[in-house]
Amino acid sequence: MCSFCQQAEENANHLFFNCRFAQSMCVVQTCDPLNHLQQHYIEGLSKEANDAWMVTWFAVVWFLWIQRNAIIFNNEQKDEGKVWETYQNQSVAMAGS
């Protein structure tokens, strides 16, 4: 069962693309994340914007994985709002360093 939503079997496709937690963290709502993962390029964006999107996308995936592990291995409780708030705070802290 998915560590975040408890509504579907947990697998990579669900965890990173279909789970409401992953969907709530999608930075570019008009981008199909699975298509982006396969191509790592969004047509119409500059190289710099595409590079920034790739870094952001991988940061979100990494962050979701870390949060999932905290739930499973540390018995932490996570809600959608708290996960998003933690991601924002850590992103700001990392950008400032």
Side-chain angles (χ1 to χ4, degrees):
M1 194 58 63
C2 176
S3 302
F4 290 120
C5 71
Q6 301 293 315
Q7 295 179 1
E9 178 183 341
E10 186 176 88
N11 58 46
N13 190 51
H14 173 77
L15 185 63
F16 299 120
F17 304 113
N18 299 322
C19 178
R20 64 185 167 86
F21 273 70
Q23 291 174 345
S24 74
M25 295 186 71
C26 186
V27 176
V28 180
Q29 296 293 329
T30 59
C31 176
D32 172 15
L34 183 57
N35 183 48
H36 176 72
L37 174 64
Q38 293 169 342
Q39 297 181 20
H40 297 286
Y41 179 79
I42 300 173
E43 205 167 311
L45 292 183
S46 68
K47 179 184 178 339
E48 292 80 16
N50 270 300
D51 289 349
W53 167 242
M54 281 181 37
V55 169
T56 301
W57 193 91
F58 282 111
V60 169
V61 169
W62 173 82
F63 181 77
L64 285 171
W65 187 253
I66 296 299
Q67 295 303 302
R68 173 209 176 261
N69 288 344
I71 292 168
I72 293 173
F73 299 114
N74 299 335
N75 294 319
E76 292 183 18
Q77 299 296 316
K78 303 285 183 177
D79 66 57
E80 194 172 322
K82 186 66 175 169
V83 169
W84 179 242
E85 180 183 328
T86 303
Y87 175 75
Q88 288 176 317
N89 291 338
Q90 289 184 357
S91 297
V92 169
M94 289 174 62
S97 56

